[in-house]
Every structure is written in structure tokens, then in C-alpha cells.
Amino acid sequence: MKTIQLQTGMKSLKGEIIIPGDKSISHRSVMFGAISRGKTTISNFLPGEDCLSTIACFRALGVDINMDDPDKVVINGKGFEGLKEPEEVLDVGNSGTTIRLMMGILSGRPFFSVIKGDVSIGKRPMTRVTKPLSQMGAIIDGREKGEFTPLAIRGGNLKGIEYTLPVASAQVKSSILFAGLQAEGVTTIYEPSKTRDHTERMIRQFGGEVTSDGLVVSVKGGQNLHGTDVYVPGDISSAAFFLVAGAVLPDSELILKNVGLNPTRTGIIDVMKEMGADMEIINQRGDEFEPIGDIIIRTSSLKSTEIEGDMIPRLIDEIPVIALLATQAEGTTVIRDAEELKVKETNRIDTVVNELRKLGANIEATDDGMIIRGRTSLTGGTVSSHGDHRIGMMLAIAALLAKEPVYLENPDAISISYPEFFTHLQSVIE
Ligand code: S3P
């Protein structure tokens, strides 16, 4: 097992980082480029392993995809009808977004396909997508009655449905929307809490129509989508590690450039401001589809907070690093309503609690979240990413707060969403 020694010793961070492309938007831009007619040019694409898995799956479906540079992708789409029955099993690697969204696309295609991923994907629940897609008319099977991969799909002849999501999940919503675009009639989804709306925005960007009114999203089948140019904003979920690092390390000031500021994703900004973070957003811009800005973060004096309810989907992927932040805030931070963390790349309630405890944090797991008592000074130890990219990056930031040596097992998982993470971190350490 590969193990590396992490930088430690309360370093201060200074300088600027251009945040790499958003993972959710990169996936979707490839998917929409593949199912639309004409040329799509994607710039600032995230060449992380997850997004490369999406490209590999569409190539296996016969789509012409070129990567001139790692962050520039050109797709010559031929519409949904251009997708061909794959000869091999489609492999999504570690990517939950790829498998769940692809299932929606494959469910509408009149051919047979099998889709699988790595060991982590094999443990993640799929009934949340196979159930509504089966109701729409797809024939799907998999281990444990379609709950686990590999999943086999015979698609086609879908009918629009009205569906209430049992959990707030953008992946499930998006999967049903992709099926809805291929279904007869209208498909309407009711969300329990608002989740990221990149799919809805991108349907419009590719010339389609979708209505969203609060928690209700509707799409009509049989629309013509056409290829377009997509600029992918920087990923706020990647910026999150530097937002926390800049706030908790001494004498620090970081400028994080080009960060996507879609309001369904900015929960971490709201929570950090409430905790007392010295943060400024400048240069707000973006196209008509996704807002962008630069964020300045400085060393901050932080107090604890409570995070729950509708806030959770707005920062679900940032909870590991917010837990670390809370170890450096005065008082007790409580995170509730976050059961979904148990079915991410790892059980993120357990991995966050166990790994941060190894470094001396005062943190406890609950059924639906965690309780963190601050402030604590962190110590050395050997920790593991458990193959979960966000756990790996959170621990690399935690190590900076320790004086004794910290070792990280399985650091390569970080390339799933942020291949340049260590280079960027090194460039701002004083
Ligand atoms: C994602 C949605 C979220 C998030 C994941 C990416 C997306 O998952 O955790 O990293 O791109 O739609 P859920 O929809 O399962 O909550």
C-alpha cells in the first residue's frame, strides 16, 4: 500500500490558486455533448479520473470524443439515436455520478448494456435510480434485485412519470431527467430539498426546455438538443480544501480564482461566514448558465455552528473538510440530517470520525451526522484516504495543523477529482 509523508508544522499559506473545473459540470457537459446533435466544445474540463470514466463510457457507445488538451474536449454528437449498443461492459471506475446519470441515458436506448464500477461503486445503492427508471419502462436487473452493480439494462419505450424523490439527490434527479428527455409525455420530479441544478441549466444551454419551480422539476420527452460551447467553472468542492486551510492556518491569505458559485453549491460559503471566516467574494461573473467568482480567504477566528436540513445538499461533499474546520472553531459543532454521507465513496461519517480521531480530534459519530468539539490541536499519526478522494485531501489539510509527522495511506485516490491537488498546495505554502 502506497504511503506518503504529508507536510506538517502550522505553515502559513499565501498566493493564488486557479481552481480546476467542476466535476459535476464536467460529467454533464460530456453527457449532453454526446446526446445532442452537432459539435460541443468543452473548455476548462476537469481531467480527473471520474470524468475520464464518463468519456470512456461514451466512446464505448460509439461517440466521437477528442481531447486536444487535457482540459479541452470536443464532441461530435449525433443525438440520442447516435448511441450504439456497447460490445463491452461499461466501466465507471469510482464514479457514482457516471453510473447513475448514464443509467438514465441507457434506459431510453433500444439496446442492451451492462454497467459496473470499482469495489466502492459495488457497495453503493442503485435502487434509487433503478426503481424510477423501471417505472418509466426500462428493464433493469442487478445483484440483490437491482440494488448493486453490475447492472444490466434493456432500454427503450419510456413513458413520463411523476416521481417523488425519497432522498435529496441530484444524481437521481438527473438520471430521471435524462430518461424523461427520451420518454413519451412529461416527466415531473418532486425533490424533498433543493439539490444542485446543473442538469436543468445544461438542458437549457443545449437548447432544450425544462421547468423548475421550487422543488418541482418537469421535462418533456422528444426535444431536440444541439451541441454548443461549454465553459466549466472551477469546482467549489475542490476550492473547499483551500478555503478551510486558509481560514485555520496562521498568517494566511489565499485568492481562489474562477470558483463556480451556483447557489445550490455554496453552502460552505454561508456556513464559513456564519462561523466567522474572513472571506470576500470578488469579480463575480459567469455566463447566463453558471455564476463564477474569485474568493479571498484569510486566517480567521472561528466559532462553532449547527448544520442541518435544507443546508445539507448545498454542502454534502464539503462535510469532511467542514468537520476538520470545526475542530479549529471555539465550541461544539453539530451536523445533522446527513445520513447520505454513509453511502458516498466511503461511509463518510465513519471515515471522517475515525481518521480525524487518529490525529487527536474530539469528534463523535451520530446516526445522521457528527458532533465536533473545538478547538483541539492536532497531532501526528498514520491516516488513510480509504480510497476516498475527499477524505485524502481533508487529511492533507489536517496534517498542516500538526507538528508531528503525519503519513497518508492511499494518496492516489485524490486524482479522482483533483489531480493537481498537491502541486497547488505546495505552490501556496510559505
Ligand atoms: C453529484 C451529486 C451528489 C454529490 C456527488 C455529485 C452530482 O450526489 O455527492 O459528488 O454531480 O450530481 P447525490 O446526488 O447522490 O447526493
Side-chain angles (χ1 to χ4, degrees), residues 146-164:
E147 173 69 326
F148 298 114
T149 57
L151 295 163
I153 306 134
R154 188 166 285 283
N157 293 324
L158 300 184
K159 293 211 165 26
I161 55 168
E162 290 205 6
Y163 196 75
T164 302

Side-chain angles (χ1 to χ4, degrees), residues 1 15 34 36 51 100 114 152 160 181 208 211 214 222 226 294 304 320 333 351 355 360 379 385 393 401 420-421 430:
M1 157 92 56
S36 298
C51 302
R100 297 209 177 102
V114 180
L181 284 169
T211 59
H226 47 80
D294 302 336
S304 60
T333 292
T351 43
E355 298 308 307
T379 58
S385 72
M393 289 185 272
L401 291 161
E420 292 177 295
F421 174 75
E430 279 277 280

Side-chain angles (χ1 to χ4, degrees), residues 106-168:
L106 295 170
S107 287
R109 294 298 82 216
F111 57 63
F112 176 76
S113 51
V114 180
I115 194 161
K116 65 154 201 144
D118 68 5
V119 174
S120 154
I121 283 291
K123 295 181 188 152
R124 299 183 66 182
M126 295 296 156
T127 307
R128 53 181 61 198
V129 287
T130 56
K131 188 176 164 201
L133 297 173
S134 303
Q135 280 180 20
M136 293 176 83
I139 301 165
I140 305 176
D141 209 348
R143 282 189 301 126
E144 297 193 24
K145 297 186 179 147
E147 173 69 326
F148 298 114
T149 57
L151 295 163
I153 306 134
R154 188 166 285 283
N157 293 324
L158 300 184
K159 293 211 165 26
I161 55 168
E162 290 205 6
Y163 196 75
T164 302
L165 297 186
V167 287

Side-chain angles (χ1 to χ4, degrees), residues 112-374:
F112 176 76
S113 51
V114 180
I115 194 161
K116 65 154 201 144
D118 68 5
V119 174
S120 154
I121 283 291
K123 295 181 188 152
R124 299 183 66 182
M126 295 296 156
T127 307
R128 53 181 61 198
V129 287
T130 56
K131 188 176 164 201
L133 297 173
S134 303
Q135 280 180 20
M136 293 176 83
I139 301 165
I140 305 176
D141 209 348
R143 282 189 301 126
E144 297 193 24
K145 297 186 179 147
E147 173 69 326
F148 298 114
T149 57
L151 295 163
I153 306 134
R154 188 166 285 283
N157 293 324
L158 300 184
K159 293 211 165 26
I161 55 168
E162 290 205 6
Y163 196 75
T164 302
L165 297 186
V167 287
S169 163
Q171 290 179 353
V172 180
K173 173 177 66 176
S174 303
S175 184
I176 300 171
L177 286 173
F178 275 119
L181 284 169
Q182 304 173 78
E184 194 189 308
V186 176
T187 296
T188 302
I189 302 157
Y190 301 89
E191 297 192 87
S193 293
K194 180 91 178 155
T195 63
R196 66 190 69 191
D197 63 357
H198 305 303
T199 305
E200 294 91 309
R201 288 172 189 248
M202 217 173 259
I203 290 176
R204 296 184 191 114
Q205 192 166 2
F206 280 75
E209 272 178 40
V210 55
T211 59
S212 41
D213 181 11
L215 299 175
V216 187
V217 184
S218 280
V219 75
K220 216 191 262 168
Q223 302 188 39
N224 286 321
L225 301 179
H226 47 80
T228 188
D229 292 346
V230 178
Y231 176 80
V232 181
D235 197 329
I236 190 166
S237 299
S238 297
F241 300 100
F242 294 105
L243 286 174
V244 168
V248 299
L249 288 159
D251 302 318
S252 296
E253 182 175 292
L254 289 176
I255 305 180
L256 307 177
K257 302 195 84 160
N258 216 20
V259 183
L261 295 175
N262 178 317
T264 60
R265 297 284 299 281
T266 48
I268 185 166
I269 293 178
D270 298 347
V271 163
M272 285 187 71
K273 281 191 173 159
E274 195 190 299
M275 292 173 80
D278 182 352
M279 186 192 288
E280 250 176 84
I281 298 176
I282 56 169
N283 295 331
Q284 295 208 41
R285 58 196 188 277
D287 53 30
E288 56 177 306
F289 303 104
E290 292 283 352
I292 303 177
D294 302 336
I295 310 178
I296 305 175
I297 181 76
R298 302 183 191 91
T299 308
S300 310
S301 165
L302 299 164
K303 60 179 171 43
S304 60
T305 190
E306 298 195 1
I307 308 173
E308 61 191 355
D310 291 344
M311 179 58 91
I312 298 294
R314 295 184 58 224
L315 46 63
I316 187 76
D317 291 341
E318 289 66 76
I319 292 178
V321 80
I322 290 173
L324 169 65
L325 179 74
T327 68
Q328 304 308 304
E330 214 55 69
T332 302
T333 292
V334 184
I335 300 171
R336 295 188 197 93
D337 304 324
E339 303 86 343
E340 273 296 298
L341 289 175
K342 294 181 184 168
V343 291
K344 294 293 175 189
E345 285 82 332
T346 56
N347 175 336
R348 285 187 178 158
I349 296 183
D350 288 353
T351 43
V352 167
V353 168
N354 294 340
E355 298 308 307
L356 280 177
R357 271 196 187 157
K358 290 183 191 165
L359 299 180
N362 185 337
I363 178 167
E364 167 189 334
T366 62
D367 273 352
D368 65 348
M370 43 195 117
I371 300 171
I372 308 114
R373 296 186 176 81

